[in-house]
């Protein structure tokens, strides 16, 4: 089963994706985690992505689609993947559909994690003190939210027009949200 998690930064996609991955026994894959690791290790991919990530912008569609293709070629991805924050533009959604299509697959569930802007700001501010992420600083947060609104929010409509999106109210206790997520994919 291939599941796509959409929603603004700080919506809880990572937390809920990890719970779901454990429940379903399939891997969770986050382009943000892979890119952060590449930056930390100073790989060629990391040096290409570092500046734009720290500024709160989006890495190019070409780079992201290359990463998705590599990830889906791994044996552990054969039984399905939980994609966390992996599709952030319409060209990425189209590219992902093509790559999965070549494998005879498609996204089975699109879950949109809905939270208010105030809640996002509070959560990211809190995460900055806990994780020390450079892109959780107030200026970068403003730019990340702008990138989300301009480029990622339209992706929700793109999927809504092609099979549907389930909106999860993502404010509240982690366990309660996890129950809603399981119900949304029929794994209650
Ligand atoms: P995240 O941890 O998901 O918030 O991602 C951290 C940063 O990595 C984002 O602010 C972007 O700069 C970059 N990034 C992660 N995934 C993508 C994607 N699918 N498309 C473009 N940029 C991405």
């Amino acid at each position: 089963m291939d599941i796509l998690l959409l929603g603004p930064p700080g919506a809880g996609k990572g937390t809920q994706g990890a719970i779901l991955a454990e429940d379903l026994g399939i891997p969770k894959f986050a382009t943000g985690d892979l890119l952060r690791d590449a930056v930390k290790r100073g790989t060629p991919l990391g040096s290409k992505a570092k500046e734009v990530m720290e500024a709160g912008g989006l890495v190019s569609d070409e780079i992201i689609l290359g990463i998705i293709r590599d990830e889906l070629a791994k044996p552990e991805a054969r039984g399905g993947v939980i994609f966390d924050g992996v599709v952030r533009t319409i060209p990425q959604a189209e590219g992902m559909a093509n790559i999965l299509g070549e494998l005879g697959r498609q996204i089975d569930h699109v879950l949109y994690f809905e939270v208010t802007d105030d809640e996002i700001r509070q959560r990211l501010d809190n995460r900055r003190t806990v994780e020390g992420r450079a892109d959780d600083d107030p200026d970068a947060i403003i730019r990340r939210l702008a990138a989300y609104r301009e480029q990622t929010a339209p992706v929700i409509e793109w999927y809504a027009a092609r099979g549907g999106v389930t909106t999860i109210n993502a404010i509240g206790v982690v366990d309660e949200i996890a129950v809603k997520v399981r119900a949304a994919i029929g794994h209650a």
Side-chain angles (χ1 to χ4, degrees), residues 56-175:
L58 291 182
V59 173
S60 78
D61 293 334
E62 195 191 345
I63 291 180
I64 296 296
L65 289 171
I67 293 173
I68 294 173
R69 198 175 276 286
D70 289 350
E71 200 58 31
L72 280 166
K74 292 182 181 168
E76 57 269 33
R78 249 182 239 149
V81 176
I82 295 166
F83 296 99
D84 158 14
V86 171
V87 174
R88 300 201 188 198
T89 66
I90 289 177
Q92 289 178 20
E94 290 166 345
M96 165 80 108
N98 289 337
I99 297 168
L100 280 171
E102 285 164 18
L103 299 167
R105 284 156 62 176
Q106 59 177 26
I107 297 286
D108 298 295
H109 296 282
V110 180
L111 308 183
Y112 163 48
F113 288 71
E114 191 174 44
V115 282
T116 59
D117 278 7
D118 274 356
E119 177 80 13
I120 295 167
R121 276 194 210 93
Q122 266 176 34
R123 288 187 192 181
L124 295 184
D125 210 41
N126 188 38
R127 187 167 76 183
R128 179 162 55 104
T129 51
V130 176
E131 294 179 18
R133 269 177 60 168
D135 62 349
D136 281 341
D137 85 65
D139 284 347
I141 289 174
I142 290 168
R143 286 193 292 269
R144 287 167 69 199
L145 289 176
Y148 175 78
R149 260 185 230 109
E150 284 157 26
Q151 291 173 271
T152 310
V155 171
I156 301 166
E157 301 306 317
W158 192 91
Y159 282 108
R162 287 167 182 78
V165 172
T166 306
T167 299
I168 309 274
N169 175 350
I171 297 186
V173 180
V174 169
D175 288 352

Side-chain angles (χ1 to χ4, degrees), residues 16-36:
Q16 293 299 331
I19 296 172
L20 199 53
E22 174 99 38
D23 276 359
L24 298 177
I26 58 175
K28 172 177 96 81
F29 171 61
T31 31
D33 290 344
L34 183 141
L35 289 166
R36 260 187 300 284

